[in-house]
Amino acid sequence: MKTLVVKSTIFLSFLFALMSCVNDDTLEHLKVTTVKTLYAPDNNKAVKLESSASANILFEWEQAKAEDGGLVMYEVAFDVEGGDFSKPIYKLTSDNNGTYNYATVTHKTLNKIGALAGLNSSETGNIIWTVFSSKGVNEVKAEEVRTMTITRLAGFAEVPTDVYVTGEGSEGGADVSKAIKFKAVANGEFEIYTKLTAGKKYHFADGTNAAAKTYFADGEVLKENGESTVAKTGVYRINLDFTTGAVVYTEISKMELFFAPTNTYLFELPYVGQGVWKAASQPITFKQEGWGRDERYKFRMTVKEGTEFEWFGSVNGDNSRPNNSTPESFWYMVPVSGDQWNNCFKFAGEIDNSLSDVSVVFQADNSYTHIIKKVGDQ
């Protein structure tokens, strides 16, 4: 018995040693070289951050090499001035899921990094950055570290939970209890589709009572305690970003139902208020094809005085006809491409040769959606 125990112990020791060698060998092949040179941005580059979603900076560096000859993964790391990157304040992967030797970093991301570095809104200060290369393990820090001077955006230290539009120029009028709520689309970011009346004052508020904090748009900048006006009466999409202090207005000129089988627009949906467009008793007829009746559709929104378009359709590339058991989420609307066929909805079978009410509903407390209701036969 003692001999058996000794032999078992020797065998297990050998097995563990073998596994250890295999693991050591595997880890050896996961080694990468350090990034020796950072290319861009230049050291000590000064950047005044902008609120535009398209504003960005390209970070680029020399490629590292993997011992196994495979792909190297990269992360850009940021730290406070004087930091050693043992605990970076922020890290992000390079473009193409971490495989490119460059990263496109938005100004909004840099603004967040500035806040993590202790910079206040509109304050100018330094952050440092470098690059880590790896095969998923054994990451190594670049030999070079660079400094960047940033001026943070004029965001708000306290971001409201809810935001409303109110005032004589708004749909709800001056009665704050009738203020219309914005939809929260991200942390500190809000959106609303609403009608504004030219020359009449309105403002934004974080509540529907007299004690609510108020905000207004001074051009493209969001500020506290004031009133705004628009030069033209119309339906607008208003985007507020309290993290950057930015305001963006987009005039909505038209909402139409697009019928994919004929590549045409069947009818326009007039705006009726409270974020709703509705066309009543509209004739809808499917298109006869050799394989059956084609019923695919989506919506096109005309913006910026008819010069640009935005498409809204299904989250799915293709769909089956809805029925009584189809969930409400089937009708949810998301931005899609302008392709004739992709991301189309399908009408229910009963809508063929019908008169139907069609509504698009973009409101705060629900997903953006639409409603198709048969009201009669043609």
Side-chain angles (χ1 to χ4, degrees), residues 86-104:
S86 58
K87 293 182 179 180
I89 59 173
Y90 197 87
K91 291 177 79 174
L92 56 86
T93 57
S94 67
D95 290 1
N96 197 36
N97 297 316
T99 60
Y100 287 172
N101 64 315
Y102 58 84
T104 307

Side-chain angles (χ1 to χ4, degrees), residues 36-63:
K36 296 185 180 300
T37 306
L38 304 178
Y39 293 150
D42 293 336
N43 194 30
N44 296 313
K45 181 177 179 65
V47 181
K48 185 174 182 179
L49 301 179
E50 300 175 6
S51 59
S52 170
S54 60
N56 59 68
I57 294 178
L58 184 69
F59 287 71
E60 189 175 9
W61 52 90
E62 180 185 37
Q63 288 184 325

Side-chain angles (χ1 to χ4, degrees), residues 119-144:
L119 300 179
N120 296 319
S121 298
S122 302
E123 186 178 358
T124 300
N126 293 336
I127 55 175
I128 58 175
W129 68 277
T130 191
V131 174
F132 285 85
S133 53
S134 74
K135 294 286 291 184
V137 294
N138 295 337
E139 66 176 13
V140 290
K141 184 168 72 73
E143 295 182 7
E144 186 180 358

Side-chain angles (χ1 to χ4, degrees), residues 48 57 72 88 93 134 163 220 236 243 249 262 282 293 316 342:
K48 185 174 182 179
I57 294 178
V72 176
T93 57
S134 74
V163 181
E220 297 180 352
Y236 293 87
T243 66
Y249 286 82
T262 58
Q282 294 297 314
R293 305 283 283 174
N316 299 315
N342 288 340

Side-chain angles (χ1 to χ4, degrees), residues 17-261:
L18 180 62
M19 292 175 65
S20 177
C21 289
V22 171
N23 288 338
D24 287 345
D25 185 59
T26 300
L27 290 174
E28 284 293 321
H29 286 289
L30 292 177
K31 287 184 176 180
V32 299
T33 63
T34 184
V35 170
K36 296 185 180 300
T37 306
L38 304 178
Y39 293 150
D42 293 336
N43 194 30
N44 296 313
K45 181 177 179 65
V47 181
K48 185 174 182 179
L49 301 179
E50 300 175 6
S51 59
S52 170
S54 60
N56 59 68
I57 294 178
L58 184 69
F59 287 71
E60 189 175 9
W61 52 90
E62 180 185 37
Q63 288 184 325
K65 295 180 180 179
E67 187 168 304
D68 65 359
L71 288 174
V72 176
M73 308 292 289
Y74 301 99
E75 285 185 302
V76 185
F78 297 87
D79 209 341
V80 296
E81 191 172 28
D84 61 3
F85 295 96
S86 58
K87 293 182 179 180
I89 59 173
Y90 197 87
K91 291 177 79 174
L92 56 86
T93 57
S94 67
D95 290 1
N96 197 36
N97 297 316
T99 60
Y100 287 172
N101 64 315
Y102 58 84
T104 307
V105 184
T106 66
H107 281 209
K108 284 190 175 183
T109 297
L110 288 171
N111 191 56
K112 294 177 183 178
I113 294 169
L116 292 172
L119 300 179
N120 296 319
S121 298
S122 302
E123 186 178 358
T124 300
N126 293 336
I127 55 175
I128 58 175
W129 68 277
T130 191
V131 174
F132 285 85
S133 53
S134 74
K135 294 286 291 184
V137 294
N138 295 337
E139 66 176 13
V140 290
K141 184 168 72 73
E143 295 182 7
E144 186 180 358
V145 173
R146 289 191 175 181
T147 299
M148 172 180 283
T149 302
I150 61 172
T151 301
R152 281 198 62 206
L153 296 165
F156 291 80
E158 295 183 14
V159 175
T161 302
D162 298 313
V163 181
Y164 303 81
V165 60
T166 186
E168 188 181 4
S170 70
E171 287 188 36
D175 185 349
V176 70
S177 68
K178 296 180 180 179
I180 303 172
K181 189 177 181 181
F182 278 74
K183 184 179 185 65
V185 295
N187 182 37
E189 298 180 33
F190 300 86
E191 178 176 87
I192 194 172
Y193 288 84
T194 192
K195 184 178 180 179
L196 299 173
T197 302
K200 294 186 177 181
K201 295 180 179 180
Y202 64 91
H203 61 267
F204 313 120
D206 68 358
T208 55
N209 54 65
K213 287 185 178 181
T214 61
Y215 311 88
F216 72 104
D218 183 5
E220 297 180 352
V221 179
L222 187 62
K223 296 182 178 181
E224 289 189 76
N225 304 321
E227 300 282 348
S228 302
T229 60
V230 291
K232 179 181 178 182
T233 297
V235 179
Y236 293 87
R237 177 176 62 219
I238 309 173
N239 292 92
L240 307 180
D241 189 340
F242 283 83
T243 66
T244 63
V247 183
V248 178
Y249 286 82
T250 305
E251 184 181 358
I252 310 303
S253 302
K254 191 184 297 184
M255 179 76 77
E256 297 170 295
L257 188 144
F258 172 77
F259 192 54

